[in-house]
Amino acid sequence: MITLTEAAAERVQRFLANRGKGMGLRLGVKTTGCSGMAYTLEFVDQVEATDTVFEDRGVKVVLDPKSLVYLDGTELDYTREGLNEGFKFSNPNEKARCGCGESFSV
């Protein structure tokens, strides 16, 4: 299961409204960085037959089967720290993160 904080849900809903289309948010992982994997986020216009769909706080979250293994149990938050803002993943499967925070390992 994937969950969103209220701040993350509000931000996704605002992005979707501004975009004018889309049914939700796709979370995923890709192989990259010094720790091995990085998180990906993109809008979803169409769900594939093999996708898993979760809904939390009115937002549909879509994952492909490969990513679900690494992201199951993750909470997505949206934070502002000074001039920086963005989505933050709290992933219980994450074992280590690189120093720059761009990649992780499980």
Side-chain angles (χ1 to χ4, degrees):
M1 176 161 210
I2 306 297
T3 57
L4 288 87
T5 64
E6 185 149 341
E10 287 174 4
R11 191 65 174 174
V12 171
Q13 289 168 340
R14 193 172 323 138
F15 278 137
L16 288 170
N18 288 341
R19 186 172 181 250
K21 66 177 183 172
M23 60 161 293
L25 186 68
R26 179 177 296 278
L27 301 184
V29 295
K30 65 180 180 177
T31 303
T32 189
C34 48
S35 288
M37 303 181 106
Y39 296 109
T40 62
L41 289 165
E42 60 187 24
F43 294 113
V44 175
D45 294 325
Q46 180 177 334
V47 175
E48 302 299 325
T50 57
D51 286 339
T52 299
V53 180
F54 297 100
E55 186 164 344
D56 190 34
R57 299 181 190 264
V59 175
K60 286 186 168 76
V61 181
V62 180
L63 290 96
D64 63 79
K66 175 190 161 205
S67 297
L68 180 58
V69 172
Y70 299 109
L71 297 177
D72 193 27
T74 295
E75 179 184 66
L76 185 63
D77 192 12
Y78 188 82
T79 62
R80 286 188 175 155
E81 297 173 9
L83 296 175
N84 298 318
E85 61 183 286
F87 289 100
K88 179 180 175 187
F89 290 81
S90 295
N91 183 349
N93 304 304
E94 193 176 294
K95 302 297 182 214
R97 186 176 283 238
C98 71
C100 65
E102 293 296 318
S103 64
F104 70 99
S105 63
V106 291

